[in-house]
Amino acid sequence: MTEKEGTYIFALYLNGKVVQVGQCADIRNMAVSKITGNEVQFERITYTFMEGVSPYSREANLMESVAANMLIPSLKQVMA
């Protein structure tokens, strides 16, 4: 099976809250990189794949920004 070229936009969750939103070309390697020894730095991951979109391109950066704005509460909401 040939892997398709593109970008994954992902969110990592810990204790039910998003702790990181980012982008990568290989979701498996990214997830493995978040495991040190027996310590996993997240409990759940969600992602979407953007086929044909290069990582860190204008389109990928925009989608990462949109995901972060949707998933991470703003400082105003946290302080309220």
Side-chain angles (χ1 to χ4, degrees):
M1 180 171 103
T2 304
E3 290 191 32
K4 295 180 181 178
E5 296 288 325
T7 300
Y8 291 90
I9 304 296
F10 65 86
L12 301 178
Y13 296 78
L14 185 61
N15 299 323
K17 295 183 181 181
V18 174
V19 293
Q20 183 179 356
V21 173
Q23 58 182 290
C24 63
D26 186 331
I27 198 72
R28 288 183 185 130
N29 282 341
M30 184 283 304
V32 168
S33 76
K34 299 295 181 184
I35 301 170
T36 52
N38 290 331
E39 183 179 330
V40 178
Q41 300 172 13
F42 63 95
E43 63 192 14
R44 183 169 68 108
I45 182 172
T46 58
Y47 61 88
T48 189
F49 182 68
M50 299 170 44
E51 186 175 349
V53 175
S54 298
Y56 304 103
S57 64
R58 179 179 283 174
E59 186 176 7
N61 290 340
L62 175 62
M63 291 308 296
E64 179 184 358
S65 177
V66 168
N69 286 331
M70 289 175 55
L71 296 171
I72 299 174
S74 71
L75 187 56
K76 286 182 182 179
Q77 291 173 329
V78 172
M79 299 300 264

